[in-house]
Amino acid sequence: MHPVENPVTLSLIIPVYNRPQEIDELLASLTKQTHPDFEVIIVEDGSEVNCKSNVDKYTGLLNVTYYVKANSGPGLSRNYGAERAKGSYLVFLDSDCIIPAQYTETLIHRLTYDYTDAFGGPDKADNTFTPTQKAINYAMTSFFTTGGIRGGSEKMDKFYPRSFNMGYSKEVFSKTGGFSTMRFGEDIDMSIRIVSNGFRTALISEAYVYHKRRTNFKQFFRQVFNSGIARIVLQKRHPGSLKPVHTFPALFVAGSIFLLLMGVFVSPVLLTPLLFLALLIGADATLKNRNLSIGLLSVPASFIQLWGYGSGFLLAFWNIVIRSGEEFSAFGKTFYK
């Protein structure tokens, strides 16, 4: 154990872009916290549809501050909030999260009695989520897609804090300068720099959030496609950060194309591996969610996760590694969507 001498105070920082309804739901969940002593900072990142009226509803219920700035992406918006935060510990949440009632109490207890300079927490699907949102949640956490490593280990070589549920001390912010200008993968970039600066990190598995992620498959594809690109960008910025598990979706894309071509021009029997994987995913998702419709939706969600990430990875590998091009990202104007 590594207890702290001075009390830990929390500043919850949430960037938002054109999502007033999400902010309303998030703030409503924060009013139910069993440890109510924290501040909330909402950073409106150049939204066309702002959430000021939604925030104003909670002025007397929460210690909430609302800021408006020009659009720069979530990373720099988090830095904007961090620069104005009064708490000793900065906690970053995405606007599409709902926060369980025990969240802040869990953090305060853990940071008081077993302090860590930076933490990450896992995400779950709430019962109120749509079947599509639950299927997407499965696709992002399943052994068959991400290897089940997201939030599954306290070792930083297997788990990197993600910005939908991530925090670090003011000292970390001061020494690292906060998030970079990357619009995708900026949270992993931040995690790598936290470790390289000698700070202690940990997974706090009890400090989970309900993460809605994307609400439809088109938005989900955009998200994971950019994540695949970001993995190559991260390797360029931090040589050695690319692990074998990160290449699996790209190998899946190449293997799927080969099997599809062989299935069309040689024999449909060669499509059996893809069909078997679909059956495995459908059965596993059905059992875990106890719902057949979610199980069925998890099949296309999982294939979108693999194909989206893998194709983004391959495109970036070609442009950045093979052709020695510059960093880039797709769907840059819709990175919040």
Side-chain angles (χ1 to χ4, degrees):
M1 290 293 183
H2 179 55
V4 293
E5 296 179 0
N6 300 318
V8 176
T9 55
L10 302 178
S11 292
L12 277 52
I13 300 168
I14 303 112
V16 59
Y17 179 76
N18 288 345
R19 292 187 172 189
Q21 181 58 39
E22 287 185 354
I23 286 296
D24 203 340
E25 293 173 346
L26 189 155
L27 292 178
S29 69
L30 289 177
T31 64
K32 302 172 184 177
Q33 294 299 298
T34 54
H35 177 89
D37 188 14
F38 56 87
E39 75 165 335
V40 182
I41 297 175
I42 305 295
V43 181
E44 191 86 70
D45 186 25
S47 299
E48 298 168 357
V49 182
N50 69 60
C51 64
K52 186 178 186 307
S53 62
N54 303 79
V55 175
D56 287 345
K57 290 165 41 179
Y58 297 91
T59 301
L61 301 173
L62 293 167
N63 177 16
V64 58
T65 309
Y66 174 78
Y67 295 101
V68 180
K69 57 177 283 298
N71 181 265
S72 64
L76 296 185
S77 295
R78 296 184 192 107
N79 292 347
Y80 186 94
E83 291 166 355
R84 291 155 179 79
K86 299 180 177 66
S88 64
Y89 210 93
L90 313 172
V91 179
F92 303 97
L93 301 167
D94 281 358
S95 63
D96 57 354
C97 291
I98 296 175
I99 316 303
Q102 77 284 355
Y103 180 83
T104 53
E105 182 177 3
T106 298
L107 279 184
I108 289 292
H109 184 271
R110 174 65 181 269
L111 295 173
T112 298
Y113 295 101
D114 187 16
Y115 186 78
T116 183
D117 300 300
F119 87 94
D123 60 338
K124 298 183 179 182
D126 186 53
N127 290 332
T128 62
F129 287 7
T130 67
T132 298
Q133 288 171 330
K134 291 179 180 179
I136 289 173
N137 181 77
Y138 172 87
M140 290 297 287
T141 58
S142 170
F143 170 80
F144 298 107
T145 52
T146 63
I149 64 173
R150 294 175 62 94
S153 172
E154 293 194 16
K155 296 180 180 180
M156 282 298 295
D157 62 348
K158 293 185 179 180
F159 170 75
Y160 290 85
R162 305 294 178 120
S163 53
F164 64 81
N165 182 14
M166 174 183 187
Y168 49 74
S169 68
K170 277 283 187 71
E171 182 185 0
V172 170
F173 178 69
S174 177
K175 191 168 183 179
T176 62
F179 292 91
S180 70
T181 57
M182 291 179 68
R183 291 205 171 197
F184 304 94
E186 80 289 344
D187 47 1
I188 302 175
D189 170 75
M190 183 71 206
S191 294
I192 294 171
R193 289 187 289 112
I194 288 172
V195 174
S196 66
N197 276 278
F199 290 109
R200 181 172 181 255
T201 63
L203 166 69
I204 303 180
S205 57
E206 301 86 0
Y208 61 88
V209 299
Y210 297 119
H211 193 194
K212 286 187 174 181
R213 300 189 185 277
R214 300 307 183 257
T215 56
N216 60 55
F217 288 154
K218 180 180 180 181
Q219 293 172 349
F220 182 47
F221 177 84
R222 288 177 172 180
Q223 178 194 26
V224 294
F225 187 86
N226 279 308
S227 295
I229 295 172
R231 181 51 67 180
I232 296 297
V233 174
L234 287 164
Q235 170 62 17
K236 183 178 180 180
R237 289 191 176 210
H238 307 283
S241 63
L242 184 66
K243 306 299 180 183
V245 68
H246 300 140
T247 66
F248 174 73
L251 295 174
F252 177 80
V253 170
S256 296
I257 292 173
F258 174 76
L259 289 174
L260 288 170
L261 290 174
M262 293 296 287
V264 171
F265 294 106
V266 179
S267 170
V269 175
L270 295 173
L271 297 175
T272 301
L274 293 177
L275 295 175
F276 182 68
L277 177 61
L279 286 172
L280 278 178
I281 290 172
D284 184 57
T286 298
L287 290 173
K288 288 184 175 178
N289 290 278
R290 298 180 181 179
N291 187 295
L292 178 59
S293 63
I294 296 173
L296 293 174
L297 285 169
S298 294
V299 175
S302 297
F303 275 74
I304 287 170
Q305 195 280 334
L306 291 167
W307 268 84
Y309 188 102
S311 57
F313 184 101
L314 290 170
L315 177 64
F317 184 83
W318 173 257
N319 285 327
I320 296 175
V321 178
I322 303 300
R323 301 182 63 188
S324 301
E326 298 297 320
E327 294 182 8
F328 73 101
S329 60
F331 310 114
K333 295 181 180 180
T334 56
F335 55 90
Y336 277 114
K337 293 182 180 179

